[in-house]
Amino acid sequence: MILAELARLIKADLIGQETADVSRVQPFENAGEGDVTLASDAGYLERISESQATAIIVSASVAGYRGNLLVARDAKLAFARAIAVLHKRDYQPIGVSGDVIVGEGTDLGNDLSIYPRVTVGREVIIGDRVTLQPGVVVGDRCHIGDDTILHANVTIYRDCEIGRRVVIHAGTVVGGDGFGFVPDENGHQVKLLQLGRVRIEDDCEIGANCAIDRGGFGDTVLRRGVKLDNLIQIGHNCEIGEDTVVAALAGFSGGTKVGRGCVVAGQVGTRQHVSIGDGATLTGKTAITKNVKAGAVVAGMPAQDYNAWRRSQVLYSKLPEMADRLKRLEKIVEDLIQASEKKS
Amino acid sequence: MILAELARLIKADLIGQETADVSRVQPFENAGEGDVTLASDAGYLERISESQATAIIVSASVAGYRGNLLVARDAKLAFARAIAVLHKRDYQPIGVSGDVIVGEGTDLGNDLSIYPRVTVGREVIIGDRVTLQPGVVVGDRCHIGDDTILHANVTIYRDCEIGRRVVIHAGTVVGGDGFGFVPDENGHQVKLLQLGRVRIEDDCEIGANCAIDRGGFGDTVLRRGVKLDNLIQIGHNCEIGEDTVVAALAGFSGGTKVGRGCVVAGQVGTRQHVSIGDGATLTGKTAITKNVKAGAVVAGMPAQDYNAWRRSQVLYSKLPEMADRLKRLEKIVEDLIQASEKKS
Amino acid sequence: MILAELARLIKADLIGQETADVSRVQPFENAGEGDVTLASDAGYLERISESQATAIIVSASVAGYRGNLLVARDAKLAFARAIAVLHKRDYQPIGVSGDVIVGEGTDLGNDLSIYPRVTVGREVIIGDRVTLQPGVVVGDRCHIGDDTILHANVTIYRDCEIGRRVVIHAGTVVGGDGFGFVPDENGHQVKLLQLGRVRIEDDCEIGANCAIDRGGFGDTVLRRGVKLDNLIQIGHNCEIGEDTVVAALAGFSGGTKVGRGCVVAGQVGTRQHVSIGDGATLTGKTAITKNVKAGAVVAGMPAQDYNAWRRSQVLYSKLPEMADRLKRLEKIVEDLIQASEKKS
């Protein structure tokens, strides 16, 4: 591909040769002839003249640099697009394996890639260009949207809806029962049957070995464009807002509502039925015990405003010093009192 | 079903029409003609006259309400029972798939539901009315009790015992090796072979993608009625007591003993070989580093009494203020000393 | 096996009968005739004369004890070796199941144990004496080294390299996409395609239901002898050093470098791109937000030196007392000031 074309596709301005050829993206250290790379921070910009790359994506033009630059306000975004343009392979259907097991009344779309060892239940609707890797199990009455990919050993329980262009990585379980029990007179746990479903909207991506429970009544919902990392727990009746990203090992208790465009870091946990406003940032390991406002940045156990938490955290590490100062003050004040008592 | 019959089955007192028909349970907002619902808190009780439900489960009679009430001291328990009565489907065996692979010497019970793609090892005993979903793998010499359900892609390693009426959700692994290594003279980790088993007693339910390790010597045991949420780690030789409930992403290190009727919240972790007394409550994210007494409620990292932790936690958020007050005091005392020195 | 032979194999000194027969290892409480056991701490040493074991492994000779002793400086290591000597079964190939599905150009080694329901992609290289349990899925162009065991329902994505004598427990996913997204102008998340691989070197052991992501560019690497417990997240481009052990539910963000011989406890989390020096110890639930020096022992959220954290932690639990003392001091000083004002 020539640079002028790449620039157009990644929405960057080209400073340099329009007809130079590029064929792949490489990290800064490795990029050479025919490669595009990224110089996103000061460290790389200082060393930009060392690069052998045919083109470098930057966020502003670089004085004195003679090579080809692709200038985009958000250089990392342009880089992500360049990788997609040069490395994403067109979908090629492999067809439907003779080994597939499909239940009655199930409707299969066109141009599928269904690998061996796939099991699909009854009255399922599978869209066009869907990929089901080996070991995938899809329960009765599920809908799987066009262009969706379920990786190996994914389990979808009955009655779930998966949108279009969704990717679910290996081992993830969608639609298991929510965790609802009530102790009876003898302390035995009586199950609250889980009658709801899971709905995963278009363009979501879900990592490996996650668990997304079905609703008790009503549905657990992942809105359009949600991105989940690995080993994430989504409890029953959670709703995760559009374009929200969640890092590994986070867990949302039943009924948690997360707004759109939130950033949830690793190992965060939430209490049941809390609401997180749009655009909030929950930093790593935070324990969310009450509602979080839109745009807030929170940290701690339980969560508080990030900056307030940071101040407390710094003082936490100074507690031994504070304790010493307190003790010294007590001694001094004691001496003062004794001195004043002697006088009087 | 008529209300009089439902009242009897859920152990509630009926105030209203014995012969009114109900067919399903619905949440308060959606309940209409033919539905049973729950009004469990003050908010719903205030709006009770708005409800179109045919019957409402409450914990005490409601003055002035003319509709049908089902009064039960524990309304949520009665609600759980009502869902089960009206929505639980009778078990219908689907038989044994021709696609199953079963090892030599294995004994299959009656009225089974064994789906395709199931693999069962040698000398296994499968009880009656057992359900094995696609992708289930059962190792040699396991016992699976009557009426037990293993969901899709569950793995049971060799020599494990699963009781009756147990439910194990998709992707969970039972009987993997416990994590035991000893470094040798060169720092290489030498494995402590894990010779024990896993025993899961009757009426346990285990969520999706959990990992329950076999014992080193002796067994890892889940006692009758234990309920585990998703993504939970049970280390080798743990013993979890009867009717204890554990929320998602909790992890028990090797040799942890948990009493009966405990409540373990999400992301809790325990040090090896600690004991948790009966009826203890471990709040979310708590780090258990030493034994916990029966009935205790603990929180924090490391765990301490919940109320003491709460007091410290409130003061933690006030550390900046405390630091300011300490500094001001030091200044005042310094001034006092100087003043008194001047005088003398 | 006679004791003299066992002593030689576990590198212990025998005090006692060379020709006594032993056939198994048992824990102290259960060991009897023909058994070897361990008395590793003072509690067991006090009761050593009660033991019916044929031989007891200890770290130093025991005055007055008349039974057979196996003395090794590191008794626990000798014990691990004794278990292996007496209980490890020789590998017996079961052959290749007729039910296996293998892609074109794949090369299978000798003396394999490939169970039914295994799916292997194209151009894969499977070494000798490899065990693939039911439900294993191996992607295109992977290499699986000699003597490696993949337990049931393990998924290996395309282009991954697994070394020799590696054990991967059930449900683990190797080679899923790293978690890399950049928001575009509309807040939609654009994927950073993940072009790298996973390399797992010789003698690693990985627990159940872990998730090990492929690199973005370049590889995610587990060095020789790494041991992972269950439910562990390894982000893209992490590198875990030789002989490092990691406990359950720990998570490493993208680009984390962990040195050799480290001990990482349960539920630890790391920020992206941090480095952990050789031999460091990260205690349970620690949040690693910056680099950790070789040999350091750290704790807390965020991590600090363990001993400093411990001091702060003790004072944290005394915050209510400190607050009271501060308040009392303020009152006393106030009184002093008033008294001195009255005088003057």
Side-chain angles (χ1 to χ4, degrees):
Chain A
M1 180 174 291
I2 63 166
L3 272 186
E5 173 71 358
L6 181 66
R8 190 180 65 80
L9 291 168
I10 71 172
K11 302 182 187 174
D13 297 320
L14 172 62
I15 304 179
Q17 300 168 269
E18 297 208 340
T19 57
D21 274 317
V22 286
S23 61
R24 57 174 202 173
V25 177
Q26 283 285 291
F28 191 88
E29 290 77 5
N30 304 340
E33 183 68 27
D35 295 342
V36 178
T37 194
L38 172 69
S40 59
D41 60 24
Y44 286 123
L45 286 169
E46 276 175 25
R47 296 159 46 201
I48 196 166
S49 60
E50 298 170 20
S51 175
Q52 304 297 313
T54 293
I56 303 180
I57 298 171
V58 290
S59 57
S61 68
V62 180
Y65 181 68
R66 294 172 177 206
N68 301 310
L69 293 177
L70 291 159
V71 183
R73 205 169 46 179
D74 187 337
K76 202 175 173 193
L77 174 59
F79 186 64
R81 285 173 169 154
I83 302 174
V85 165
L86 291 171
H87 293 275
K88 195 166 186 175
R89 299 194 203 141
D90 287 342
Y91 174 76
Q92 299 285 359
I94 67 151
V96 177
S97 165
D99 182 67
V100 71
I101 291 174
V102 176
E104 280 178 35
T106 283
D107 195 16
L108 298 181
N110 298 312
D111 299 325
L112 297 170
S113 293
I114 301 193
Y115 285 75
R117 315 230 186 265
V118 166
T119 314
V120 178
R122 289 180 289 183
E123 298 171 46
V124 173
I125 298 172
I126 306 273
D128 297 336
R129 297 172 304 281
V130 165
T131 300
L132 304 181
Q133 295 272 357
V136 164
V137 179
V138 177
D140 296 344
R141 295 175 304 280
C142 288
H143 293 197
I144 312 287
D146 297 345
D147 302 293
T148 280
I149 300 171
L150 306 187
H151 282 277
N153 292 321
V154 160
T155 300
I156 315 285
Y157 281 63
R158 64 176 175 78
D159 294 304
C160 292
E161 268 184 42
I162 316 289
R164 291 170 296 174
R165 298 175 300 280
V166 169
V167 179
I168 303 184
H169 284 281
T172 281
V173 175
V174 174
D177 283 352
F179 193 65
F181 294 93
V182 189
D184 73 6
E185 302 81 359
N186 304 310
H188 297 186
Q189 303 291 345
V190 175
K191 177 157 180 156
L192 281 151
L193 284 191
Q194 303 289 305
L195 306 175
R197 303 177 308 157
V198 175
R199 283 191 294 124
I200 296 175
E201 295 187 354
D202 296 347
D203 299 303
C204 289
E205 182 158 348
I206 300 171
N209 281 340
C210 292
I212 301 175
D213 283 349
R214 65 195 315 113
F217 295 99
D219 296 343
T220 302
V221 184
L222 269 56
R223 296 271 173 225
R224 186 201 44 73
V226 164
K227 310 294 183 186
L228 304 184
D229 200 349
N230 305 324
L231 293 165
I232 287 170
Q233 151 74 357
I234 308 281
H236 49 175
N237 297 96
C238 284
E239 181 180 331
I240 312 293
E242 295 189 359
D243 300 313
T244 283
V245 295
V246 182
L249 290 162
F252 299 93
S253 293
T256 303
K257 306 293 176 202
V258 181
R260 55 196 297 172
C262 294
V263 176
V264 180
Q267 296 174 327
V268 162
T270 70
R271 181 173 288 179
Q272 289 179 60
H273 301 299
V274 297
S275 287
I276 318 289
D278 294 345
T281 299
L282 317 182
T283 61
K285 288 182 177 285
T286 296
I288 306 294
T289 56
K290 51 188 183 184
N291 294 349
V292 173
K293 286 187 184 158
V297 181
V298 299
M301 178 180 159
Q304 55 178 138
D305 168 70
Y306 178 79
N307 289 319
W309 172 80
R310 199 75 194 91
R311 281 192 293 274
S312 283
Q313 190 51 44
V314 167
L315 290 166
Y316 171 86
S317 65
K318 291 184 179 166
L319 274 176
E321 182 206 312
M322 280 176 71
D324 287 348
R325 287 162 58 195
L326 185 60
K327 202 169 175 182
R328 198 168 60 229
L329 260 190
E330 287 172 332
K331 178 77 176 68
I332 293 171
V333 168
E334 181 65 24
D335 291 349
L336 280 176
I337 291 171
Q338 289 190 357
S340 101
E341 280 171 354
K342 270 188 198 167
K343 280 189 206 168
S344 55
Chain B
M1 180 174 288
I2 62 166
L3 274 184
E5 173 71 358
L6 181 66
R8 190 181 64 79
L9 291 169
I10 70 174
K11 302 183 187 174
D13 296 319
L14 171 63
I15 304 180
Q17 300 169 268
E18 297 208 340
T19 57
D21 274 317
V22 285
S23 61
R24 58 176 201 171
V25 177
Q26 283 285 289
F28 191 87
E29 289 78 4
N30 304 340
E33 182 69 27
D35 294 343
V36 177
T37 194
L38 172 70
S40 58
D41 60 23
Y44 287 123
L45 287 171
E46 276 175 25
R47 296 159 49 199
I48 196 167
S49 60
E50 298 169 21
S51 175
Q52 304 297 314
T54 293
I56 303 180
I57 299 171
V58 290
S59 57
S61 67
V62 179
Y65 181 68
R66 294 173 177 206
N68 300 310
L69 293 177
L70 292 159
V71 184
R73 203 169 48 180
D74 187 338
K76 201 175 173 193
L77 174 59
F79 186 64
R81 284 172 169 156
I83 302 174
V85 166
L86 293 172
H87 293 274
K88 196 165 188 177
R89 299 196 202 140
D90 286 341
Y91 173 76
Q92 298 285 359
I94 67 151
V96 177
S97 165
D99 183 67
V100 72
I101 292 174
V102 176
E104 279 177 37
T106 283
D107 195 16
L108 299 180
N110 297 312
D111 298 325
L112 298 171
S113 294
I114 301 192
Y115 284 76
R117 314 228 187 267
V118 167
T119 314
V120 178
R122 288 180 290 185
E123 297 171 48
V124 173
I125 298 173
I126 306 273
D128 297 336
R129 296 171 305 280
V130 166
T131 300
L132 304 180
Q133 294 273 357
V136 163
V137 179
V138 178
D140 296 344
R141 294 175 303 280
C142 288
H143 293 196
I144 312 287
D146 297 344
D147 302 293
T148 280
I149 300 171
L150 306 186
H151 282 278
N153 292 320
V154 160
T155 301
I156 314 286
Y157 281 64
R158 63 178 176 76
D159 295 303
C160 292
E161 268 184 43
I162 316 289
R164 290 170 296 173
R165 297 174 303 279
V166 170
V167 179
I168 303 184
H169 283 281
T172 280
V173 175
V174 173
D177 283 352
F179 194 65
F181 294 94
V182 188
D184 74 5
E185 303 81 358
N186 304 309
H188 296 186
Q189 302 291 345
V190 175
K191 177 155 180 158
L192 281 151
L193 284 191
Q194 302 290 306
L195 306 175
R197 303 176 308 156
V198 175
R199 283 193 293 125
I200 296 175
E201 296 186 353
D202 296 347
D203 299 304
C204 288
E205 181 157 348
I206 299 171
N209 282 338
C210 292
I212 302 175
D213 283 349
R214 64 194 317 112
F217 295 100
D219 297 343
T220 302
V221 183
L222 269 57
R223 296 274 173 222
R224 185 200 47 71
V226 165
K227 310 294 182 185
L228 303 185
D229 200 350
N230 305 323
L231 293 164
I232 287 170
Q233 151 73 359
I234 307 281
H236 48 176
N237 298 95
C238 284
E239 181 180 329
I240 312 294
E242 295 190 0
D243 300 313
T244 283
V245 294
V246 183
L249 290 161
F252 299 93
S253 293
T256 304
K257 306 293 177 203
V258 181
R260 58 196 295 173
C262 293
V263 176
V264 180
Q267 296 175 326
V268 162
T270 70
R271 182 172 288 178
Q272 289 179 62
H273 302 298
V274 297
S275 287
I276 318 289
D278 294 346
T281 299
L282 316 183
T283 61
K285 288 182 174 287
T286 295
I288 306 294
T289 55
K290 52 187 184 184
N291 295 348
V292 173
K293 286 188 182 157
V297 181
V298 299
M301 178 183 160
Q304 56 177 139
D305 169 70
Y306 178 80
N307 289 318
W309 172 81
R310 198 76 193 89
R311 280 192 293 274
S312 284
Q313 189 51 44
V314 167
L315 290 166
Y316 171 86
S317 65
K318 292 186 177 165
L319 274 176
E321 183 205 312
M322 281 176 70
D324 288 347
R325 286 162 59 195
L326 184 59
K327 204 168 173 184
R328 199 168 57 228
L329 260 189
E330 286 172 332
K331 180 74 176 69
I332 293 171
V333 167
E334 179 65 23
D335 291 349
L336 279 176
I337 291 171
Q338 288 191 356
S340 99
E341 279 171 354
K342 270 189 198 166
K343 279 188 207 169
S344 56
Chain C
M1 180 175 288
I2 62 166
L3 272 185
E5 172 72 356
L6 181 66
R8 190 181 64 79
L9 291 169
I10 70 172
K11 302 181 186 176
D13 296 319
L14 172 62
I15 304 180
Q17 300 169 268
E18 299 207 341
T19 57
D21 274 317
V22 284
S23 61
R24 58 176 201 172
V25 178
Q26 283 285 290
F28 191 88
E29 289 77 3
N30 304 340
E33 183 68 27
D35 295 341
V36 178
T37 193
L38 171 70
S40 58
D41 60 25
Y44 287 123
L45 287 169
E46 275 175 26
R47 296 159 47 200
I48 196 166
S49 61
E50 300 169 20
S51 176
Q52 305 296 314
T54 294
I56 302 180
I57 299 172
V58 290
S59 56
S61 68
V62 180
Y65 182 68
R66 295 174 173 203
N68 301 309
L69 293 177
L70 292 158
V71 184
R73 203 169 47 177
D74 186 339
K76 201 174 173 192
L77 173 60
F79 186 64
R81 286 173 168 152
I83 301 174
V85 165
L86 293 171
H87 293 274
K88 195 167 188 176
R89 298 192 203 144
D90 287 342
Y91 174 76
Q92 298 285 359
I94 67 151
V96 177
S97 165
D99 182 67
V100 73
I101 290 173
V102 176
E104 280 177 34
T106 283
D107 195 15
L108 299 181
N110 298 313
D111 299 325
L112 297 171
S113 294
I114 302 192
Y115 284 77
R117 313 227 188 267
V118 167
T119 315
V120 179
R122 288 180 290 183
E123 297 169 47
V124 172
I125 299 173
I126 306 272
D128 297 336
R129 296 171 304 281
V130 165
T131 300
L132 304 181
Q133 294 272 357
V136 164
V137 179
V138 178
D140 296 344
R141 294 175 303 280
C142 288
H143 294 196
I144 311 288
D146 297 344
D147 301 294
T148 281
I149 300 171
L150 306 187
H151 282 277
N153 292 320
V154 161
T155 301
I156 315 287
Y157 280 63
R158 62 176 177 77
D159 294 302
C160 292
E161 268 185 42
I162 315 289
R164 290 170 295 174
R165 297 174 301 279
V166 170
V167 178
I168 303 184
H169 284 280
T172 280
V173 175
V174 174
D177 284 351
F179 194 64
F181 293 93
V182 189
D184 73 6
E185 302 82 358
N186 304 309
H188 296 185
Q189 303 290 345
V190 176
K191 176 154 180 159
L192 282 151
L193 284 190
Q194 303 290 306
L195 305 175
R197 302 177 308 156
V198 175
R199 283 193 293 124
I200 296 175
E201 295 186 355
D202 296 346
D203 299 305
C204 288
E205 181 157 348
I206 299 170
N209 282 338
C210 291
I212 301 175
D213 283 348
R214 63 196 316 113
F217 296 99
D219 297 344
T220 302
V221 184
L222 268 57
R223 297 270 173 228
R224 185 200 47 71
V226 165
K227 310 294 182 186
L228 304 184
D229 200 348
N230 304 323
L231 294 164
I232 288 169
Q233 151 74 357
I234 308 281
H236 48 176
N237 298 95
C238 283
E239 181 180 331
I240 312 294
E242 294 189 359
D243 299 314
T244 283
V245 294
V246 182
L249 291 161
F252 299 93
S253 294
T256 303
K257 306 293 175 201
V258 181
R260 56 196 298 173
C262 294
V263 175
V264 180
Q267 296 175 326
V268 163
T270 71
R271 182 173 287 179
Q272 289 179 61
H273 302 297
V274 298
S275 287
I276 317 289
D278 294 346
T281 298
L282 316 183
T283 60
K285 288 183 177 284
T286 296
I288 307 294
T289 56
K290 50 188 185 185
N291 294 347
V292 173
K293 287 186 183 160
V297 180
V298 299
M301 175 182 162
Q304 55 179 136
D305 168 71
Y306 178 79
N307 289 320
W309 173 80
R310 198 75 192 92
R311 279 192 295 272
S312 284
Q313 189 51 44
V314 167
L315 290 167
Y316 171 86
S317 66
K318 291 183 178 167
L319 274 177
E321 182 205 313
M322 280 177 71
D324 287 347
R325 286 161 58 196
L326 185 59
K327 203 168 174 183
R328 199 169 56 229
L329 260 189
E330 286 173 331
K331 179 74 177 69
I332 293 172
V333 168
E334 180 63 23
D335 291 349
L336 280 175
I337 291 171
Q338 288 191 356
S340 100
E341 279 171 354
K342 269 187 200 169
K343 277 189 206 168
S344 55

